[in-house]
Amino acid sequence: MNAVKNIYGGNDPRTLPAYPMVEAARYLALRPTTLGSWFRGGNPILAADRDAEQLSFFNLVEAFVLKGLREEHRLSMQNIRRAVEELRRLYPTSSHPLAQLDLAVLNRDLYSDRDGLLVDASRGGQLGMRRVLELYMNRVDKDPTGATRLYPFTRTQLEKSPRLVSIDPRISFGRPVIGGTSIPTAALHDRWKAGDSIVVLAEDYDRSVEEIEEAVRYEAA
């Protein structure tokens, strides 16, 4: 990461504004108005550039996790705000706790066994919460300083969505690519729309048919 920071003038590329709101919403399969509402108040997520509505990679990961908490478990924004505020208090060096803290920490403190900040017994309590969070957090690679790579869902059936498309701020300027490569999913989708078959694309890029299919499916969605 240090070598990458040097390219960005000593800044961590994960914290820099890089994603316009509409673009970030498309990557996460969210409405721009919904995503915007999560940032404009400054809480639960602190946008990298609130005035220009530009999000960082950390913001992107935070929104990805927040989507799981909101859509899959129907948690109220009031409870999420309280939980994130508590995480920031407990871990003052983590201004983006949903993107920087590891799953073990979130399991222990996001649910807050002491106060029940995110526990809703009517919706399955902590066990249900952990399943939801694990499903989303297993799509995020991390190092000791926080998220390094995001694998967005490529299918509506989340459990059946392979980790073949990735977003990494160090690769292709943080745009979605086939995991482990710098091949943009948008370029594959453009060629597919223009008439190239999945098989032809797989041969041209020397990738598997499955990888090309997931990349096209992700962009088409």
Side-chain angles (χ1 to χ4, degrees):
M1 182 63 74
N2 288 337
V4 177
K5 285 185 177 181
N6 290 337
I7 297 174
Y8 290 92
N11 296 307
D12 188 333
R14 297 173 298 178
T15 66
L16 300 176
Y19 303 94
M21 196 71 69
V22 172
E23 182 181 350
R26 183 169 65 85
Y27 293 161
L28 300 175
L30 282 166
R31 291 188 177 90
T33 52
T34 298
L35 182 59
S37 70
W38 295 350
F39 286 88
R40 292 189 183 105
N43 188 21
I45 305 175
L46 303 174
D49 187 339
R50 190 169 65 180
D51 292 338
E53 296 196 338
Q54 291 269 340
L55 308 186
S56 68
F57 174 75
F58 275 165
N59 291 155
L60 198 69
V61 174
E62 289 175 293
F64 178 75
V65 176
L66 184 55
K67 179 184 178 183
L69 297 175
R70 287 286 290 154
E71 294 188 356
E72 301 301 322
H73 207 72
R74 307 297 182 186
L75 289 170
S76 72
M77 286 302 296
Q78 180 180 7
N79 277 0
I80 293 173
R81 287 191 183 99
R82 288 176 55 214
V84 171
E85 286 174 358
E86 178 69 1
L87 286 172
R88 288 185 183 134
R89 186 186 69 79
L90 292 172
Y91 305 94
T93 60
S94 298
S95 55
H96 306 282
L98 297 183
Q100 291 176 291
L101 299 179
D102 63 29
L103 183 58
V105 167
L106 293 176
N107 271 340
R108 184 177 68 245
D109 291 329
L110 183 57
Y111 310 113
S112 187
D113 294 334
R114 306 179 311 283
D115 304 318
L117 290 180
L118 286 185
V119 174
D120 184 345
S122 68
R123 296 188 181 274
Q126 291 190 20
L127 183 59
M129 281 292 306
R130 282 185 169 86
R131 285 201 192 104
V132 170
L133 190 60
E134 285 173 358
L135 179 62
Y136 276 74
M137 294 305 294
N138 285 338
R139 314 285 300 196
V140 180
D141 287 347
K142 289 185 175 173
D143 67 14
T145 61
T148 58
R149 187 177 297 110
L150 171 65
Y151 297 87
F153 292 110
T154 54
R155 306 186 184 196
T156 54
Q157 290 182 292
L158 306 186
E159 296 85 354
K160 295 183 179 180
S161 184
R163 299 195 344 160
L164 293 179
V165 171
S166 70
I167 298 175
D168 185 326
R170 300 163 297 182
I171 297 174
S172 193
F173 300 100
R175 269 54 196 174
V177 297
I178 290 180
T181 79
S182 58
I183 303 170
T185 56
L188 294 170
H189 184 248
D190 287 345
R191 286 191 56 182
W192 176 76
K193 282 200 306 180
D196 285 337
S197 70
I198 297 294
V199 172
V200 166
L201 291 172
E203 291 175 349
D204 284 356
Y205 288 94
D206 194 24
R207 308 307 303 179
S208 70
V209 167
E210 182 186 15
E211 288 175 309
I212 302 299
E213 284 178 339
E214 290 303 318
V216 171
R217 179 181 287 114
Y218 172 67
E219 288 290 337

